[in-house]
Amino acid sequence: EVDPANLLLHRMPVRRLEGEAIRDALLVTSGRLDPTTYGPPVPIHLTDFIIGRGRPEVSGPLDGAGRRSIYVATRRNFLSTMMLAFDYPTPFSTVGRRNVTNVPAQVLTMMNDPFVHEQADVWAKRLMHELPNADETARVVWLFETGYCRQPSPDELRFCVETLDELRTQYAGDAESVVWSELCHALLNSNDFIYLK
C-alpha cells in the first residue's frame, strides 16, 4: 500500500541468475572452474538429443573443460539445452532484452542435467578431500558457506543431517561420497542457489 510501484528501497524483488551465471556458479561451487582468460573457445558438449544437419564431428567435454560460459562455443543450430532452459537468447537475431521466465523445464534441468549431476559429484569429492575428518555438522556448514555464502539456519542444519540419515538408508552399501553427492545435488536445486534475494 505504501509503495505499490516498488520504488523505495525497503525490499528487493528476487532475481534469477542468467543461465551462464548459473553454469559458472556450479563450476565455482564444485571447485572445477578454470579462471584462465582468453584462448580458443571450447566446443559445445553434444548430447544424443542435439542432432541436425551440420552437426560437429567433435563434442566438447561435459563441463566445458571448466571454462566460464563465455568461452563455450556457440553454434546456432546446436545450443546447450541447459542454457536454453534458462532463457539463453537464440543467436538468429539481436535481442534487446533477455526474457526471464520461471518454468518447469528449469527445475527439471537442475534435477536431471548430467552437468549438474557431475558438478554435485565433484563438489562432494571436494568436501571429502578438504574436510576428511570433520563431523556432519561442520561439513554441512561448509557446504552452505561454499554454495550459498552464508551459514545454515538451525532448521536447515537439522534437515540436512536428517536427510543424510535417510540417504544412508537408501544408499546402504555405497560409498559415503555418494550420500554427500545426493545432498550436494539437493542444495544445488535450492532457490538459494539460482536466485538473488
Side-chain angles (χ1 to χ4, degrees), residues 9-31:
L9 298 177
H10 65 99
R11 69 182 180 88
M12 177 72 181
V14 295
R15 185 170 57 96
R16 200 201 72 226
L17 295 173
E18 298 88 0
E20 297 93 332
I22 293 170
R23 183 186 171 279
D24 291 354
L26 287 164
L27 291 170
V28 169
T29 301
S30 71

Side-chain angles (χ1 to χ4, degrees), residues 25-163:
L26 287 164
L27 291 170
V28 169
T29 301
S30 71
R32 180 67 182 98
L33 182 73
D34 176 2
T36 306
T37 54
Y38 309 112
V42 179
I44 188 166
H45 176 73
L46 300 171
T47 67
D48 294 337
F49 302 104
I50 301 177
I51 57 173
R53 215 173 105 203
R55 184 175 196 250
E57 292 181 14
V58 178
S59 174
L62 179 60
D63 68 351
R67 300 294 306 275
R68 288 184 52 216
S69 299
I70 195 169
Y71 295 110
V72 176
T74 299
R75 305 252 336 201
R76 190 169 67 174
N77 294 331
F78 305 97
L79 300 172
S80 164
T81 52
M82 178 180 178
M83 293 295 110
L84 289 174
F86 286 101
D87 306 313
Y88 187 78
T90 54
F92 301 121
S93 62
T94 56
V95 176
R97 177 177 290 192
R98 189 180 292 207
N99 292 330
V100 180
T101 61
N102 185 6
V103 294
Q106 294 162 357
V107 176
L108 293 171
T109 297
M110 292 301 289
M111 286 176 58
N112 299 314
D113 191 274
F115 171 69
V116 179
H117 279 277
E118 179 189 61
Q119 295 313 302
D121 289 341
V122 174
W123 191 20
K125 288 174 182 163
R126 177 183 171 200
L127 166 71
M128 304 299 274
H129 176 74
E130 293 193 20
L131 284 86
N133 301 317
D135 64 354
E136 287 180 344
T137 301
R139 286 180 174 181
V140 170
V141 168
W142 184 88
L143 288 175
F144 270 75
E145 289 174 346
T146 307
Y148 303 154
C149 297
R150 67 173 177 83
Q151 295 272 321
S153 71
D155 284 340
E156 289 171 329
L157 190 56
R158 182 172 49 81
F159 291 144
C160 285
V161 171
E162 289 173 0
T163 300

Side-chain angles (χ1 to χ4, degrees), residues 159-193:
F159 291 144
C160 285
V161 171
E162 289 173 0
T163 300
L164 286 167
D165 291 338
E166 292 175 17
L167 288 169
R168 284 190 185 100
T169 303
Q170 289 179 2
Y171 293 97
D174 286 331
E176 184 71 3
S177 62
V178 173
V179 171
W180 285 98
S181 176
E182 289 296 320
L183 180 64
C184 289
H185 188 235
L187 293 175
L188 294 176
N189 276 273
S190 168
N191 282 347
D192 283 323
F193 192 76

